[in-house]
């Protein structure tokens, strides 16, 4: 069964304290792995797409990496405005998207 | 460029009633996806429409249905509402089937 698991469920960081979020997946025919950011009361906002193991993408303080079984979202020197829920989604064969339950990140000034 | 728009923003219904949620995709996008996001749960896939046809359906009962119009806008209908249908309903569009999803801000449905 296709499945996406994110950890931890919640993460509290001091401003400037770097960390990583994990997304592990089991899916048949992976076509892509997506990271989204979701602020309260809003829809998810696209961050990255990764297609193959070893691929990396960066945007400001965020860096996403992909292996055959999991993806990491590394946050370097986070700021309070990085506080949000980060969602991982995998795209399987048939163009189906499966989402994890997200990691709620709080960055304390 | 306008993003994905959903209406209404909030909807309050009572058990047994019907709810209709609407979505306008980004101009030029032909695929529309519907997701349910209940409190504490991830996004659960409901329906996918492309070029006016239903392409795929998630593991939801038949009282969840929808359609896509010739202008690619979409409607989600939920019949015989149950308390557990209370959730944020998100619509997303993509330029092509399987392309990057762009989400609207959602409709918060409350069933009393």
């Amino acid at each position: 069964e296709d499945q996406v698991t994110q950890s931890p469920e919640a993460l509290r960081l001091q401003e400037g304290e770097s960390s990583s979020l994990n997304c592990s997946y089991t899916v048949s025919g992976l076509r892509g792995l997506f990271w989204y950011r979701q602020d309260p009361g809003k829809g998810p906002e696209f961050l990255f797409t990764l297609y193959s193991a070893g691929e990396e993408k960066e945007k400001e303080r965020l860096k996403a990496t992909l292996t055959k079984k999991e993806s990491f979202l590394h946050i370097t020197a986070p700021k309070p405005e990085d506080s949000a829920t980060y969602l991982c989604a995998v795209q399987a064969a048939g163009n189906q998207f499966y989402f994890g339950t997200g990691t709620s990140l709080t960055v304390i000034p | 460029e306008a993003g994905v728009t959903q209406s209404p923003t909030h909807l309050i219904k009572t058990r047994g009633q019907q709810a209709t949620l609407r979505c306008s995709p980004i101009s030029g996008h032909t695929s529309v996806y519907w997701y349910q996001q209940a409190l504490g749960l991830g996004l659960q896939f409901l329906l996918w429409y492309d070029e006016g046809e239903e392409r795929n359906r998630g593991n939801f009962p038949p009282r969840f249905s929808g359609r896509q119009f010739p202008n690619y806008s979409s409607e989600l209908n939920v019949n015989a509402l149950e308390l557990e249908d209370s959730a944020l309903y998100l619509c997303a569009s993509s330029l092509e089937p399987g392309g990057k999803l762009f989400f609207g801000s959602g409709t918060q449905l409350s069933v009393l």
Side-chain angles (χ1 to χ4, degrees):
Chain A
E1 182 183 327
D2 297 330
Q3 194 170 344
V4 178
T5 303
Q6 290 188 247
S7 62
E9 287 186 14
L11 183 62
R12 288 172 64 90
L13 299 173
Q14 292 289 331
E15 184 172 2
E17 179 187 1
S18 301
S19 188
S20 296
L21 283 54
N22 178 264
C23 171
S24 62
Y25 61 90
T26 54
V27 64
S28 53
L30 178 73
R31 298 189 59 184
L33 186 139
F34 298 76
W35 282 98
Y36 286 85
R37 168 189 170 131
Q38 187 175 23
D39 293 297
K42 294 189 175 181
E45 177 187 343
F46 172 79
L47 291 173
F48 302 109
T49 308
L50 302 166
Y51 293 104
S52 57
E55 189 175 357
E56 298 182 352
K57 294 275 181 71
E58 283 190 69
K59 180 181 179 180
E60 296 181 358
R61 295 176 292 284
L62 301 176
K63 178 180 176 181
T65 61
L66 181 65
T67 71
K68 287 187 177 180
K69 294 293 183 185
E70 59 190 350
S71 176
F72 292 93
L73 184 65
H74 307 278
I75 303 176
T76 302
K79 298 181 177 182
E81 53 262 42
D82 295 322
S83 297
T85 296
Y86 290 85
L87 298 170
C88 168
V90 295
Q91 184 185 17
N95 293 325
Q96 182 88 320
F97 288 87
Y98 296 91
F99 281 81
T101 53
T103 293
S104 176
L105 174 66
T106 303
V107 182
I108 305 161
Chain B
E1 180 182 291
V4 177
T5 57
Q6 292 186 245
S7 63
T9 306
H10 294 86
L11 189 57
I12 300 175
K13 294 285 186 177
T14 55
R15 253 173 41 181
Q17 285 188 314
Q18 179 202 35
T20 298
L21 289 63
R22 296 180 175 83
C23 172
S24 292
I26 292 172
S27 178
H29 286 198
T30 61
S31 274
V32 171
Y33 297 77
W34 286 96
Y35 286 87
Q36 181 195 67
Q37 188 176 33
L39 203 61
L41 299 178
L43 275 70
Q44 303 295 315
F45 170 69
L46 276 163
L47 291 158
W48 168 33
Y49 293 95
D50 183 66
E51 296 285 0
E53 300 282 333
E54 182 180 301
R55 301 297 184 183
N56 205 348
R57 181 182 180 86
N59 189 25
F60 279 84
R63 58 191 185 82
F64 287 84
S65 65
R67 54 182 171 165
Q68 187 178 34
F69 299 98
N71 67 353
Y72 303 116
S73 67
S74 178
E75 197 172 86
L76 174 68
N77 294 294
V78 188
N79 293 320
L81 285 165
E82 300 179 1
L83 296 178
E84 51 265 36
D85 296 333
S86 295
L88 179 67
Y89 288 83
L90 291 163
C91 170
S93 72
S94 67
L95 186 60
E96 57 192 2
K100 184 170 66 180
L101 299 181
F102 295 83
F103 284 87
S105 293
T107 293
Q108 184 66 54
L109 173 64
S110 299
V111 183
L112 307 177

